[in-house]
Amino acid sequence: MSTQVPEPVEEESSAESVSPGKQKRDQKKRERAQRIQEQREAEAAERARSDDDTYHLKVFRYDPEVPEKQEPRFDDFYVPYKQGMTVLDALMWARDHYDSSLTFRHSCRQAICGSDALFVNGSQRLGCKSQLSDLSEPVRIEPLPHADVVKDLVVDMEHFYDQMEAVEPYFQTNSLPDGELDEQRQTRENREKVKMSTRCIWCSACMSSCNIAAGDNEYLGPAAINKAYRFAMDEREGEDMKQRRLEILEQEHGVWRCQTQFSCTEVCPKDIPLTEHIQELKREAIKNNLKFW
Amino acid sequence: MYEHDVIVVGAGGAGLRAAIAAHEEGADVAIVSKLHPVRSHTGAAEGGINAALREADSWEDHAYDTMKGSDYLADAPAAETLCKDSPKETIKLEHWGMAFSRDEDGRVSQRPFGGLSFPRTTYAGAETGHQLLHTMYEQLVKRGIKVYDEWHVTRLAVSDEERPEDRTCHGIVAYDVQTGNIEGFRARNGVILATGGLGQVYDHTTNAVSNTGDGVAMAYRAGVPIEDMEFIQFHPTTLPSTGVLISEGVRGEGGILYNEDGERFMFEYGYANNAGELASRDVVSRAELTEVNAGRGIEDEYVHLDMRHLGEERILDRLENILHLAEDFEGVDGLVEPMPVKPGQHYAMGGIETDENGETCVTGLYAAGECACASVHGGNRLGGNALPELIVFGKRAGHHAAGKDMEDARITTGKVGDYEEAEIDSPVQLGEVGLGEDVAADGGATAAASGSELVQQAVDEERETVEALLEKDDGIQHAEIRERVQKSMTRNVNVFREEEGLKQALGDIREARELYLDVFVADKSRTFNTDLLQTLETRNILDIAEAITLGALARNEFRGAHWRKEYQERRDEEWLKHTLLSWNDGNPELWYKPVILEGENKTYEPKVRSY
Ligand SMILES: Cc1cc2nc3c(=O)[nH]c(=O)nc-3n(C[C@H](O)[C@H](O)[C@H](O)COP(=O)(O)OP(=O)(O)OC[C@H]3O[C@@H](n4cnc5c(N)ncnc54)[C@H](O)[C@@H]3O)c2cc1C
Ligand code: SF4
Ligand code: FES
């Protein structure tokens, strides 16, 4: 069915010191394993055949370590379709039934852990949130662009995390109430204002879609700027802190790099109005009379 | 080998809180987690955090609700600790900037939840867990706490004295997912397990794919008793196709359940004449399945949850996330049609036996969060009681491990004092089937030596195990074994349980164990080898499935989430006790210890649980 990665040929282990009883048991085990595997493959093939609705996936493969996979390529998988199936479901099916070495990050299956952002049919999406039925075939699945590929669909996230951490991504306030049971009051309007910005799941789709980030490795990028927005606009943080945040954002590789191309806003699976937030911060920076780059 | 004072395994709510607490006490602390912290499953929690914050409410009322909700299987000292500490821990999150929903006067909002006598569930829209997880991770970054992310912990380094109560935990062994290196982590003061849920034992679950119960299984195999494993919570409102959760907040806000005939069955058929949809989770789950079994289910599978009458404004304000989930995962617009729902595995009330300070019977080994059993939830957890558990017990475990003086615990751990051995009537031989001779296995304990030597020894063994797995070039793949167990558990150890089914499940698990002897990893790469990691996780799934099923077979009564066809009533004379299971070198031993119903000022007398 699929283009399998050729298995590295392994030496038969030497059987000198193994008792005949054990050899026999091992032989039986091997036979059973083979039977089960064949059954499974046959079932998978049967399902893929009998179902009119079979989805054709073209999946990017690369592994720096396995000689056969060092040259990047695309593998074809045919996955039987079930109502409601997502790109992630299809990848899992392909992995569990055809090629267990197919590698991708995933966990929650419900668009909240942010680990399965992929490049699907040419745009950044969460695998778990993308219905196969919305996509044209063959469904082309690649790792996020502008990031180093670790293996198959897994990319290196370090740079993204570094940028997130560069904006002092934690709440800072000087006016905590004294009592450990006393809240800092916040108006509903203010909570509403920061609400969308707090929804970021660190998937990195926005960063991957951004031309500027692709060209300027130091650009903070939409997610980190949005993270800073989340605090800068929170009324509980106070004016002097806001000043400091604007200074961070206003540096050479901060908000002024954004050229309002909206690609980040388009791909964000949490519908965060990223470009708008960046624009608003630019206006705040001007109000504060800070420097342009 | 890496070395720190305190090592926290897992970076969900419990792990993060524990690390921050240990850091507060001046310890050199590090987190080792198989997922980057913000990917942890705590992020998926929707509904809220229970905390008695208002004047008209009190921690005593919260404790009463918790004991009643547990069907009198929670230990009062643990439940009272939870309820007493929750308000200040919840407000601490607010002080750290967490974006809670707000009332008109700017205070944090609270809402009603199932089984609560006061609307004390504090929330942030329908994304409370996401806000909590990120807020706590921010605090971690602020403090510069070291995180080893994408490191999969595979084994504990525990000394091998005969009795688990005499053993000490010196560290852990972990597998670097990116490079394939296996390394030791020595913990000078203690290891805190915060590895979360075990929902992957079932095939229909609200839990993440990574929730494979690793911590519970590792502790179990190192000799630590695991407690009340048969108590698995099934959440009444999960989406039928994926198991994605529709928060209890929907019913809290007034959502209504209907059967195929359009009847409001919770009242119509008398399942809960007072609380209706807001009865506790076990009650509602059974009601739904009874409807389906009686032929009143929709497509013979599910029922409807309707929130249309709440109006768009209220839904958008408080349940917006639910609209997205229903739309993305079931293609249903919750504003114009009812949502399909059915029960799904959701939470493990049981876990690693700890006291109310988070300590296990093994010196230097702690557990907190969903992997632990203190026990605050007993037979049934109230919605909104898990998130406070993370912050309350996460903090306590962190403090304790870092050496802070704590009040003596009232709960005892390990096989000491008042316990009772049980006879196991199992249809199959339990536990280990030569695992260890062929492939992955760990008896947990290694020979006594200095702390570092002991960790190194564990590392060497683990390297051998992994080598052996990678060398094997044919056999059965983990996915096949995993699927068999998951299907059997869903069929036989679900909301309704019968003796025959439970025995069938034990047989299936036994068979899966035998197949596991022949497991092989097709991917030979050292880089990001998820095939290998899932193979190791599958081993944990086997041990946990067995523990759940065995406990369920032995407990011949009906309590909380544990319903038995042959025994449809609670039997307090015999069963006011915790199930414990110890792994003695591959031979599971079942034993019991009494429940503590005496609280600080009162004793919680078991009453009929009606809603
Ligand atoms: C969908 C959903 C909704 C919920 N809603 C609510 C709610 O509204 N209110 C409420 O009170 N409770 C709720 N709960 C329950 C609550 O969210 C969980 O019990 C809780 O979040 C578990 O937190 P944790 O820190 O124990 O584990 P998790 O958040 O699951 O974290 C586990 C951590 O352990 C790590 N880990 C696991 N195994 C290993 C290993 N082998 N090596 C290294 N690291 C490992 C993982 O990487 C992860 O970081 C909900 C649960 C679900 C599933
Ligand atoms: S802003 Fe949106 S696209 Fe960017 S990381 Fe956050 S959730 Fe992903
Ligand atoms: S699997 Fe978590 S976001 Fe998709």
Side-chain angles (χ1 to χ4, degrees), chain A residues 40 63 65 100 105 107 109 113 129 131 151 165 169 182-184 198-199 202 227 230 236, chain B residues 39 94-95 97 107-108 127 130-131 137-138 150 207 209-210 328 474 480 518 523 525 527 531:
Chain A
R40 220 172 142 76
D63 186 332
E65 252 187 84
S100 62
R105 286 194 184 95
S107 186
R109 306 161 303 147
C113 74
K129 207 188 156 189
Q131 292 284 327
K151 174 172 167 184
E165 299 196 355
D182 292 333
E183 301 138 59
Q184 314 156 81
T198 64
R199 293 206 170 145
W202 296 44
K227 188 86 185 162
R230 180 253 168 281
R236 295 171 295 170
Chain B
R39 320 265 174 240
E94 203 282 342
H95 289 180
R107 297 195 66 181
V108 296
E127 51 191 49
H130 166 78
Q131 300 289 357
Y137 181 60
E138 289 157 19
E150 297 193 328
N207 282 201
V209 177
S210 57
D328 292 342
D474 60 5
E480 163 77 22
D518 209 14
D523 190 351
S525 174
T527 310
D531 193 4

Side-chain angles (χ1 to χ4, degrees), chain A residues 160 199-206 223 226 267-270 272 274:
Chain A
F160 177 79
R199 293 206 170 145
C200 173
I201 55 173
W202 296 44
C203 71
S204 182
C206 52
N226 171 70
V267 301
C268 175
K270 290 294 169 183
I272 303 173
L274 294 162

Side-chain angles (χ1 to χ4, degrees), chain B residues 468-516:
Chain B
L469 266 177
L470 288 177
E471 265 165 30
K472 198 162 177 317
D473 54 13
D474 60 5
I476 296 165
Q477 296 192 340
H478 69 82
E480 163 77 22
I481 302 172
R482 203 184 266 228
E483 238 172 74
R484 282 183 186 224
V485 175
Q486 289 173 332
K487 288 214 170 100
S488 180
M489 291 299 284
T490 301
R491 197 176 317 114
N492 300 308
V493 200
N494 211 299
V495 174
F496 293 124
R497 299 166 173 191
E498 334 183 359
E499 177 158 344
E500 204 185 318
L502 294 171
K503 289 192 163 158
Q504 174 68 43
L506 280 176
D508 293 343
I509 295 163
R510 169 78 197 181
E511 197 181 278
R513 271 188 194 290
E514 282 168 18
L515 291 180
Y516 193 84

Side-chain angles (χ1 to χ4, degrees), chain A residues 88 106-116 126-128 201:
Chain A
L88 177 63
H106 65 299
S107 186
C108 70
R109 306 161 303 147
Q110 55 184 84
I112 196 72
C113 74
S115 56
D116 67 337
L126 293 181
C128 64
I201 55 173

